[in-house]
Amino acid sequence: GILVFIHGYNSRFADAARRAGQLSHDLGFAGPTVLFSWPSIGGLVDYTVDEQNAEWSVPDMKTVLASLATLAPGTPIYVIAHSMGNRVLTRGLKALLDEDPGKRRAFKQIVLAAPDIDADVFRRDIAPAILGKGPRVTLYASSNDKALAASRTLHGGYRRLGESGADIVVMRDLDTVDA
């Protein structure tokens, strides 16, 4: 298979590349690992700039996912996104599947690790496009994630998908893990 990693907020390219390599090594992944690196500024106070850069990267994410699904037919694709990188992944994947639902078969597993996405936006706009009929989607959420708590505050108190606790997101066709 192919492993794709999408980094989160406050990640410089070198750090994201190291994290992708570490993930591949720790998982004992035998196939190639692809890093999708969107232009994070890599600074703690650059959150809103990173938000905009992540949004601008969605069409490129769609292109990369479509290319992988086309260039390696029959090869399972496993995707792991972290934090704000989940915005890039889920919106890019949604755009791809809206355009070509048949590409869904290429993706074996999608992992949403601590996703910094508005939980209600995910439920209403993203989940209907990416959940069900494959690929398997797993959400890892935590109530101890300080970055997600800060994001919630910055976004007017709107709950983040990666938060756990009493309002953890549980949906059909979504494997939810309270980490």
Side-chain angles (χ1 to χ4, degrees):
I2 299 169
L3 176 63
V4 180
F5 175 68
I6 302 101
H7 65 81
Y9 150 73
N10 191 19
S11 291
R12 296 178 191 261
F13 178 79
D15 296 328
R18 191 173 13 266
R19 189 167 293 129
Q22 191 67 52
L23 265 171
S24 182
H25 175 77
D26 289 350
L27 293 171
F29 197 80
T33 298
V34 174
L35 166 64
F36 181 90
S37 181
W38 54 275
S40 169
I41 299 299
L44 192 59
V45 297
D46 297 308
Y47 184 86
T48 57
V49 177
D50 271 10
E51 277 190 309
Q52 191 61 52
N53 288 345
E55 194 64 36
W56 287 335
S57 299
V58 169
D60 297 318
M61 179 86 264
K62 176 188 162 211
T63 299
V64 167
L65 294 174
S67 295
L68 289 172
T70 302
L71 295 173
T75 303
I77 301 170
Y78 304 87
V79 186
I80 301 173
H82 179 248
S83 184
M84 196 180 288
N86 282 282
R87 295 186 201 180
V88 180
L89 168 63
T90 57
R91 290 180 176 128
L93 182 61
K94 177 187 181 311
L96 174 63
L97 298 179
D98 285 348
E99 183 178 290
D100 187 352
K103 292 277 194 269
R104 179 182 303 274
R105 291 185 300 275
F107 299 94
K108 182 75 172 169
Q109 174 74 51
I110 306 291
V111 174
L112 310 175
D116 184 4
I117 300 172
D118 182 294
D120 292 327
V121 168
F122 179 81
R123 281 187 186 104
R124 184 193 68 209
D125 299 336
I126 298 169
I130 68 170
L131 297 181
K133 303 179 196 140
R136 186 173 188 160
V137 180
T138 304
L139 163 65
Y140 286 91
S142 173
S143 55
N144 296 322
D145 191 309
K146 290 182 173 91
L148 287 176
S151 176
R152 182 180 192 172
T153 299
L154 284 171
H155 290 99
Y158 290 105
R159 188 162 185 75
R160 312 320 287 165
L161 180 62
E163 291 182 282
S164 64
D167 294 324
I168 191 169
V169 174
V170 177
M171 299 177 70
R172 182 181 183 163
D173 298 317
L174 178 67
D175 298 324
T176 300
V177 178
D178 185 348

